[in-house]
């Protein structure tokens, strides 16, 4: 029988009543003739509670035991979902990551999936099981220890299973009814997209859109897994939600498909650093080794052999960046006058595959921001996106103005 993967996020399984509602959706797909693999997250709020217990017990915790604790939330949901399906006379059983097995690296709390052998689950399908309820977010290391995949890891689990089992589709059930042109809480004119290309979704996810985890979209694009984002709280139809698919499957789209934003950005500037070969390598190697996720980079014009180097990073990584740069200075690798951190900034981005074949998007974006009196601090571009760093107080104004200017409330 064809295989369908269905993933239910924390809000979709937050209570026993919601688990029953999700189970009914699974039952509908079983009745259509699918063997179903259900990936479940922990019940809403449970992972945060478990993380809090770990931090309270042992602030300098053993990462292996951290994974053993925080992965338990998904185990509870998987068991409850399997019991609910059994009560509906749907042959189902729960699976923990090590039972499948979901083979991962040994990087505890941020492991990456290496292999999902389908033999164990397929054998049970052959014996009459119709639904495999798998605990998301978790796997097993080569050493036999439980691992977790990092925040949002259940999305990655779902896509990886869809690829491993050659599933017809991977449905991601969440608390929103699809992917929008921007966050509806910021712009009332935001429009739900029927389809969006993998590349566009990847950019939107990495730039601040919270609908899908970035790694899950990367996997879907690599293995051509059709993703559908749906609400678990609304009536469904075959056309419901948003389909994330290959660019070739989209007949026509707007030049710009969406506006993404991130409030939690910081701009850091290294003042008066030597302008010589290797200086950028020294700075960004130090930041990389310090675990700092650098995004935008700008180098000023050199004067008298000195220059300023600016970069953006998540605001919660400022202290880590400062420590890394101070260490490099103490070792003699860097010499500079000052390190300035600006935490009152936000990143706003326009994204669209149509930008590959249309000119003038950057000019229009910059003119719109100028008309609204918004000053641009840093700019970065790729083939299908333009991002700017601006004062945080102008973020919502910028998003709304750009959404209007590119007429994203209208379909192509």
């Amino acid at each position: 029988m064809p295989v369908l993967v269905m993933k239910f996020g924390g809000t979709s399984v937050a209570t026993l009543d919601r688990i029953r509602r999700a189970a009914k959706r699974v039952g509908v797909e079983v009745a259509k003739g699918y063997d179903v693999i259900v990936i479940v997250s922990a019940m809403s709020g449970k992972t945060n509670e478990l993380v809090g217990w770990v931090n309270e017990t042992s602030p300098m915790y053993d990462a292996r035991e951290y994974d053993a604790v925080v992965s338990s939330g998904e185990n509870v949901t998987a068991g409850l979902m399997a019991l609910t399906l059994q009560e509906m006379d749907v042959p189902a059983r729960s699976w923990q990551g090590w039972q499948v097995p979901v083979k991962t690296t040994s990087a505890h709390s941020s492991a990456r999936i290496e292999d999902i052998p389908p033999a164990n689950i397929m054998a049970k399908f052959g014996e009459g099981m119709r639904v495999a309820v798998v605990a998301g977010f978790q796997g097993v290391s080569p050493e036999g220890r439980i691992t977790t995949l990092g925040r949002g890891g259940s999305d990655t689990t779902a896509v990886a299973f869809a690829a491993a089992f050659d599933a017809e589709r991977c449905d991601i059930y969440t608390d929103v009814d699809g992917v929008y042109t921007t966050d509806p809480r910021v712009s009332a004119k935001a429009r739900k997209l029927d389809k969006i290309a993998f590349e566009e979704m990847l950019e939107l996810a990495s730039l601040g859109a919270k609908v899908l985890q970035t790694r899950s979209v990367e996997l879907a694009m690599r293995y051509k897994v059709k993703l559908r984002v749906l609400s678990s709280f609304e009536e469904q139809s075959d056309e419901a939600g948003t389909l994330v698919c290959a660019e070739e499957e989209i007949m026509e789209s707007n030049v710009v498909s969406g506006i993404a934003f991130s409030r939690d950005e910081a701009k850091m500037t290294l003042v008066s650093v030597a302008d010589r070969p290797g200086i950028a390598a020294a700075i960004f190697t130090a930041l990389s080794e310090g675990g700092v996720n650098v995004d935008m980079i700008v180098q000023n014009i050199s004067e008298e052999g000195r220059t300023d180097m600016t970069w953006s990073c998540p605001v919660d990584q400022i202290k880590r960046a400062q420590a890394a740069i101070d260490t490099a200075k103490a070792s003699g690798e860097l010499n500079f006058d000052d390190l300035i951190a600006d935490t009152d900034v936000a990143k706003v981005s326009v994204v669209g595959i149509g930008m590959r074949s249309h000119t003038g998007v950057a000019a229009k974006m910059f003119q719109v921001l100028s008309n609204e009196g918004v000053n641009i601090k840093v700019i970065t571009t790729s083939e299908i996106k333009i991002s700017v760093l601006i004062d945080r107080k102008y973020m919502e104004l910028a998003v709304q103005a750009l959404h209007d200017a590119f007429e994203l409330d209208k379909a192509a």
Side-chain angles (χ1 to χ4, degrees):
M1 291 185 179
V3 173
L4 183 70
V5 174
M6 303 173 72
K7 182 262 178 179
F8 293 94
T11 54
S12 302
V13 292
T15 64
L16 292 179
D17 183 57
R18 289 186 182 178
I19 289 174
R20 292 187 194 100
R21 185 183 299 183
K24 288 178 181 177
R25 294 194 187 283
V26 176
V28 168
E29 300 300 340
V30 170
K32 291 179 182 177
Y34 288 105
D35 283 334
V36 181
I37 299 173
V38 175
I39 310 296
V40 292
S41 298
M43 298 167 82
S44 185
K46 290 299 179 184
T47 300
N48 286 340
E49 182 179 39
L50 294 168
V51 170
W53 288 349
V54 170
N55 287 326
E56 188 176 336
T57 303
S58 175
M60 301 298 288
Y61 55 75
D62 179 339
R64 295 166 296 186
E65 301 306 335
Y66 170 94
D67 278 359
V69 173
V70 300
S71 64
S72 63
E74 281 72 16
N75 297 342
V76 172
T77 313
L80 291 172
M81 176 66 81
L83 286 170
T84 304
L85 287 163
Q86 289 170 9
E87 286 295 304
M88 295 165 50
D89 294 324
V90 177
R93 63 156 281 188
S94 64
W95 298 74
Q96 296 179 18
W98 64 270
Q99 294 174 305
V100 175
V102 179
K103 298 181 180 180
T104 74
T105 62
S106 301
H108 287 274
S109 79
S110 59
R112 300 186 79 84
I113 296 173
E114 294 195 319
D115 188 28
I116 302 178
N120 288 343
I121 286 179
M122 290 305 293
K124 290 298 180 183
F125 279 144
E127 294 171 11
M129 177 187 74
R130 298 300 309 277
V131 181
V133 186
V134 180
F137 174 63
Q138 62 177 251
V140 61
S141 72
E143 296 77 28
R145 296 297 299 258
I146 294 170
T147 57
T148 62
L149 309 180
R151 288 292 179 157
S154 293
D155 284 352
T156 302
T157 304
V159 175
F161 268 84
F165 286 79
D166 195 23
E168 188 171 299
R169 196 178 63 247
C170 178
D171 287 347
I172 306 286
Y173 286 86
T174 181
D175 53 1
V176 296
D177 61 347
V179 180
Y180 278 74
T181 50
T182 195
D183 189 332
R185 292 169 296 185
V186 172
S187 174
K189 296 181 181 179
R191 176 176 56 86
K192 184 175 73 70
L193 298 165
D194 294 327
K195 292 183 179 181
I196 187 169
F198 288 125
E199 294 94 330
E200 291 173 318
M201 190 66 243
L202 185 59
E203 290 283 13
L204 289 172
S206 65
L207 293 167
K210 301 292 194 294
V211 180
L212 288 171
Q213 193 217 32
T214 305
R215 279 167 61 193
S216 70
V217 184
E218 289 175 348
L219 269 180
M221 186 164 66
R222 184 185 312 162
Y223 294 103
K224 297 292 188 287
V225 172
K226 283 188 178 180
L227 276 177
R228 192 167 59 149
V229 180
L230 304 141
S231 170
S232 56
F233 305 106
E234 296 188 0
E235 293 300 318
Q236 305 291 280
S237 68
D238 290 340
E239 290 78 36
T242 299
L243 185 67
V244 187
C245 56
E247 182 180 342
E248 302 79 54
E249 295 184 48
I250 301 174
M251 290 292 291
E252 194 71 43
S253 64
N254 291 331
V255 177
V256 171
S257 294
I259 311 290
F261 59 86
S262 173
R263 290 184 177 89
D264 304 319
E265 298 291 320
K267 179 171 75 80
M268 304 192 73
T269 301
L270 206 56
V271 180
S272 189
V273 68
D275 187 9
R276 58 172 174 78
I279 196 65
I283 293 168
F284 295 105
T285 297
L287 292 171
S288 174
E289 291 175 350
V292 179
N293 184 19
V294 173
D295 182 16
M296 303 173 168
I297 301 171
V298 173
Q299 182 174 349
N300 288 353
I301 296 171
S302 176
E303 290 186 15
E304 298 178 0
R306 312 293 289 183
T307 188
D308 298 341
M309 188 76 77
T310 297
W311 66 88
S312 68
C313 65
V315 72
D316 60 0
Q317 295 183 6
I318 288 176
K319 290 184 178 179
R320 198 180 294 177
Q322 289 171 330
I325 294 298
D326 287 344
T327 299
K329 185 175 185 178
S331 69
E333 292 180 46
L334 292 178
N335 179 269
F336 57 90
D337 288 352
D338 199 6
L339 177 59
I340 301 171
D342 180 359
T343 60
D344 196 25
V345 296
K347 179 170 62 180
V348 176
S349 310
V350 299
V351 175
I353 52 176
M355 292 164 60
R356 289 178 180 150
S357 54
H358 289 76
T359 60
V361 176
K364 185 173 184 176
M365 179 183 188
F366 302 154
Q367 187 62 57
V368 168
L369 295 176
S370 172
N371 293 345
E372 298 294 340
V374 178
N375 185 46
I376 298 171
K377 296 173 179 285
V378 182
I379 302 167
T380 187
T381 66
S382 75
E383 193 178 25
I384 65 168
K385 76 108 190 286
I386 303 166
S387 296
V388 296
L389 216 57
I390 61 175
D391 286 330
R392 188 173 298 159
K393 64 183 179 181
Y394 294 122
M395 188 200 77
E396 293 194 9
L397 171 65
V399 170
Q400 291 165 357
L402 290 168
H403 196 276
D404 288 347
F406 287 104
E407 299 183 323
L408 297 186
D409 56 323
K410 301 174 185 177

